[in-house]
């Protein structure tokens, strides 16, 4: 029997890999579409029946049926009962706009700039740097390789199959707080010593989004925001974009100098104080218990808010983490920000804001404009991970890994740099505050490092008249990488 022209073309053009992650029917249908687009299969061509098709390629007939159904759903073929499957070309559904132009083709070149003015912002200029170096440092990010990929696939699929998920997409039917809000509330109460209800918490895509919401609610142009002398550049960008006047407060080995606030500012002059009480960013210093009480009392007396960004509370290695200021606040002066799921892949992490009910209610109104849809699948999955204790188990498991890496980094630094540096081993967190005893040019250090295939971003370098330090993150590096990175950093140091 002689093959039809269509069969001959299909045999030559179609090849598939059964070991590929892409289903066979998708591989085949994509190749048939490609053949149509290249005019190997013309309009009106009759394709072989599904029985013949399955024999030609040694596949199950159901797979052949799936191929034709996929092509039909996209409009590439027409299936006519008792006649067969015929090639089509999908109609163009959008009309081409013909604009007046002096040159042919100008109407179809996308404009490089707007034809109208708009206000640009210096504060929002990107600080991101790019490098092809094999090794790179950061300010203390988790290791994505520790994410339980195989287990997460199971949890994600389970969440997708929940019958109750569909009904949750309709926000008009929501009469009470969601399961996730209740689980998040229970988790924070158990781990942070809080006494909150779901009406006191809102979840956001990240703690940066939470801080942005709060700044939009609280800060007007020229409002005074107090931050540590060496503070988080990302949070400063948010405050500056809100029009705040940022004032810096000195730090010492007990954290933020609260007495400085009282002696240099008057009542009513401060809008809020931003800090990371558990581990200051970037120095990792913990605010002492005495100063915590002083700050809470001063906030009530001076009527300013405290924004407490507890960005890495979960990563506590030695002893117990100090409870957040929010746990001791009875006057509604503290707004508490944090992250949940830092042992998970970033897309499964979530930020949260804890505050009095009236502020949270207003924040939710703002969030409706920015993120009305939310991520119900993420919330469903996190709810179950909290309820079943998986969040706690993963965290405990990863803490052992990160603690070992911290200790190994300290050992490598002592062996390679000896008495040229000073640092204090942090009780937690994923970064070390590394100070150089003799002032050097950190920019030049970064330049010499890149020549040794080590990228040191400028955002982790802190240098002024009194400071010459690096916030050296280690969470994303295993022990072999830590040893290599420290040696490369020492080579760069020796070149100065």
């Amino acid at each position: 029997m002689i093959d039809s022209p269509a069969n001959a073309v299909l045999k030559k053009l179609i090849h598939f890999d059964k070991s590929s992650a892409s289903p066979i029917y998708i591989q085949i249908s994509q190749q048939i579409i490609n053949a149509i687009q290249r005019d190997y299969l013309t309009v009106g061509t009759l394709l072989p029946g599904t029985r013949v098709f399955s024999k030609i390629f040694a596949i199950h007939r159901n797979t052949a049926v799936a191929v034709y159904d996929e092509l039909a759903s996209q409009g590439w073929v027409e299936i006519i009962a008792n006649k067969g499957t015929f090639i089509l070309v999908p109609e163009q559904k959008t009309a081409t706009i013909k604009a007046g132009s002096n040159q042919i083709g100008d109407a179809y070149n996308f404009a490089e700039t707007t034809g109208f003015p708009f206000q640009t912002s210096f504060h929002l200029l990107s600080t991101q740097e790019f490098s092809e170096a094999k090794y790179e440092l950061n300010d203390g990010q988790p290791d994505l390789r520790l994410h339980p990929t195989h287990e997460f696939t199971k949890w994600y699929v389970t969440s997708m199959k929940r019958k109750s998920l569909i009904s949750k997409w309709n926000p008009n039917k929501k009469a009470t707080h969601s399961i996730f809000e209740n689980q998040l509330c229970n988790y924070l109460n158990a781990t942070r010593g809080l006494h909150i209800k779901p009406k006191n918490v809102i979840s956001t895509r990240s703690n940066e989004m939470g801080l942005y919401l709060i700044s939009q609610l609280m800060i007007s142009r020229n409002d005074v925001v107090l931050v540590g002398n060496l503070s988080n550049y990302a949070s400063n960008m948010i405050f500056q974009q809100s029009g705040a006047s940022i004032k810096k407060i000195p730090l010492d080995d007990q954290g933020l100098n609260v007495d400085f606030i009282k002696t240099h500012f008057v009542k009513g002059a401060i809008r809020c104080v931003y800090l990371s009480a558990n581990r200051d960013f970037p120095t990792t210093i913990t605010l002492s218990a005495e100063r915590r009480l002083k700050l809470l009392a001063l906030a009530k007396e001076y009527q300013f808010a405290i924004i407490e960004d507890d960005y890495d509370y979960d990563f506590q290695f030695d002893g117990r983490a100090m409870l957040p200021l929010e746990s001791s606040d009875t006057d509604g002066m503290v707004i508490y920000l944090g992250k949940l799921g830092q042992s998970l892949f970033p897309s499964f992490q979530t930020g949260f804001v804890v505050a009095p009910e009236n502020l949270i209610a207003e924040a939710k109104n703002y969030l409706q404009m920015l993120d009305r849809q939310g991520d119900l699948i993420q919330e469903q999955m996190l709810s179950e991970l909290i309820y079943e204790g998986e969040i706690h188990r993963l965290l405990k498991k990863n803490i052992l890994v990160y603690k070992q890496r911290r200790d190994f980094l300290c050992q490598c630094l002592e062996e390679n740099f000896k008495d040229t540096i000073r640092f204090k081993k942090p009780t937690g967190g994923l970064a070390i505050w590394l100070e150089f005893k003799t002032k050097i040019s950190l920019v030049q250090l970064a330049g010499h490092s890149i020549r040794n295939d080590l990228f040191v971003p400028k955002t982790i370098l802190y240098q002024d008249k009194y400071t010459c330090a690096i916030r050296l993150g280690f969470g994303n590096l295993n022990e072999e990488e830590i040893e290599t990175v420290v040696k490369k950093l020492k080579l760069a140091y020796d070149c100065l």
Side-chain angles (χ1 to χ4, degrees):
M1 180 179 178
I2 301 175
D3 279 346
S4 70
N7 292 7
V9 171
L10 292 173
K11 284 182 179 181
K12 289 181 179 180
L13 296 180
I14 294 179
H15 304 279
F16 54 87
D17 180 6
K18 293 185 177 180
S19 63
S20 172
S22 178
I24 292 175
Y25 82 94
I26 293 294
Q27 295 181 54
I28 295 176
S29 60
Q30 288 175 340
Q31 291 177 66
I32 293 177
I33 292 171
N34 183 262
I36 298 172
Q37 292 172 326
R38 294 162 64 188
D39 289 330
Y40 288 118
L41 295 173
T42 57
V43 177
T45 299
L46 174 65
L47 294 178
T50 53
R51 285 191 176 88
V52 175
F53 193 94
S54 61
K55 288 180 180 180
I56 291 174
F57 298 105
I59 58 176
H60 197 283
R61 189 187 174 199
N62 288 345
T63 303
V65 171
V67 170
Y68 286 0
D69 286 344
E70 178 67 21
L71 293 171
S73 68
Q74 296 186 41
W76 293 103
V77 300
E78 180 182 15
I79 302 174
I80 302 176
N82 301 320
K83 290 187 177 181
T85 302
F86 298 87
I87 297 294
L88 296 176
V89 174
E91 295 180 6
Q92 186 175 344
K93 299 298 183 181
T94 56
T96 301
I97 299 175
K98 295 183 179 180
S101 174
N102 294 327
Q103 295 183 4
I104 296 175
D106 281 356
Y108 308 108
N109 292 331
F110 197 81
E112 294 184 2
T113 59
T114 61
F116 50 85
F118 67 96
Q119 184 175 359
T120 59
S121 175
F122 171 78
H123 306 308
L124 297 182
L125 291 177
S126 175
T127 58
Q128 188 173 8
E129 300 173 73
F130 300 94
S131 172
E132 298 297 326
K134 182 178 180 180
Y135 300 94
E136 64 178 67
L137 297 177
N138 58 44
D139 59 6
Q141 302 301 318
D143 191 344
L144 301 184
R145 293 170 295 187
L146 299 180
H147 176 78
T149 304
H150 297 297
E151 294 179 48
F152 236 77
T153 301
K154 176 187 66 177
W155 296 329
Y156 193 85
V157 171
T158 301
S159 297
M160 285 285 292
K161 291 180 178 179
R162 297 293 184 194
K163 293 182 179 179
S164 59
L165 187 63
I166 299 300
S167 62
K168 293 178 181 178
W169 288 105
N170 186 353
N172 298 325
K173 293 184 178 180
K174 183 177 178 181
T176 59
H177 294 288
S178 68
I179 295 175
F180 174 67
E181 289 173 326
N182 281 285
Q183 290 295 343
L184 176 59
C185 184
N186 293 339
Y187 179 80
L188 295 176
N189 286 339
T191 58
R192 268 80 164 171
L194 304 182
H195 304 282
I196 60 173
K197 297 178 180 179
K199 63 184 180 182
N200 302 125
V201 64
I202 182 175
S203 63
T204 58
R205 298 281 183 174
S206 63
N207 59 338
E208 290 83 7
M209 178 182 277
L211 182 60
Y212 178 80
L213 288 174
I214 295 303
S215 68
Q216 292 299 305
L217 287 170
M218 294 183 52
I219 299 174
S220 301
R221 183 161 297 279
N222 297 324
D223 279 351
V224 174
V225 175
L226 304 185
V227 302
N229 186 45
L230 301 170
S231 55
N232 190 333
Y233 69 91
S235 61
N236 287 349
M237 287 173 62
I238 293 174
F239 291 135
Q240 288 172 335
Q241 189 60 24
S242 299
S245 174
I246 298 178
K247 305 294 183 181
K248 294 187 175 181
I249 304 300
L251 294 99
D252 54 31
D253 58 358
Q254 295 186 59
L256 200 71
N257 189 332
V258 179
D259 291 333
F260 183 91
I261 300 176
K262 192 166 186 177
T263 57
H264 288 76
F265 297 92
V266 298
K267 295 180 180 179
I270 305 169
R271 187 65 178 110
C272 63
V273 174
Y274 172 84
L275 79 164
S276 303
N278 195 48
R279 269 180 291 277
D280 175 69
F281 189 101
T283 65
T284 74
I285 297 172
T286 300
L287 187 66
S288 67
E290 179 184 358
R291 290 192 179 179
R292 287 166 183 258
L293 295 176
K294 278 187 178 181
L295 185 60
L296 284 170
L298 192 62
K300 182 179 180 181
E301 180 183 353
Y302 277 39
Q303 290 297 293
F304 61 77
I306 300 172
I307 300 178
E308 183 179 14
D309 188 349
D310 211 353
Y311 63 94
D312 68 350
Y313 180 90
D314 287 337
F315 299 116
Q316 183 69 26
F317 308 140
D318 305 321
R320 298 184 62 183
M322 294 192 71
L323 295 177
L325 290 166
E326 180 68 52
S327 65
S328 303
D329 178 33
T330 58
D331 299 302
M333 309 307 296
V334 179
I335 302 169
Y336 182 59
L337 312 177
K339 296 179 181 178
L340 174 67
Q342 293 186 73
S343 294
L344 310 176
F345 206 74
S347 58
F348 296 109
Q349 299 174 17
T350 186
F352 61 81
V353 180
V354 174
E357 181 181 1
N358 59 335
L359 185 65
I360 292 298
E362 191 66 16
K364 287 183 177 179
N365 293 337
Y366 267 78
L367 189 61
Q368 283 292 304
M369 292 190 296
L370 296 174
D371 191 22
R372 181 177 179 83
Q373 178 175 308
D375 192 335
L376 291 178
I377 299 174
Q378 178 202 55
E379 292 182 2
Q380 177 76 39
M381 187 169 57
L382 287 175
S383 298
E384 296 183 17
L385 293 181
I386 294 173
Y387 180 77
E388 295 174 6
E390 290 292 343
I391 286 283
H392 183 74
R393 183 184 69 82
L394 289 171
L395 188 59
K396 288 296 183 183
K397 182 179 178 181
N398 288 348
I399 279 178
L400 294 177
V401 175
Y402 290 132
K403 180 179 180 181
Q404 186 174 346
R405 292 180 180 182
R406 177 205 63 177
D407 294 342
F408 186 71
L409 173 61
C410 292
Q411 177 186 331
C412 289
L413 289 172
E414 291 171 348
E415 291 176 353
N416 286 271
F417 285 89
K418 302 187 186 304
D419 60 351
T420 62
I421 60 172
R422 59 174 169 265
F423 64 89
K424 183 178 180 181
K425 182 187 291 187
T427 59
L430 301 182
I432 284 179
W433 182 244
L434 177 67
E435 297 181 277
F436 294 93
K437 293 182 179 179
T438 301
K439 295 291 191 297
I440 62 172
S441 170
L442 295 180
V443 173
Q444 289 183 12
L445 178 70
H448 288 299
S449 296
I450 199 67
R451 297 186 187 99
N452 292 319
D453 213 17
L454 172 63
F455 174 53
V456 182
K458 292 182 176 63
T459 52
I460 70 170
L461 306 179
Y462 293 83
Q463 186 156 33
D464 56 27
K465 183 179 179 180
Y466 306 102
T467 308
C468 182
I470 298 177
R471 180 176 167 86
L472 181 56
F474 59 84
N476 65 310
L477 305 170
N478 60 36
E479 291 190 13
E480 181 182 348
E481 292 165 339
I482 288 173
E483 184 176 16
T484 301
V485 163
V486 172
K487 288 181 178 179
K488 288 180 178 292
L489 197 62
K490 182 59 165 61
L491 286 174
Y493 178 84
D494 291 338
C495 291
L496 297 174

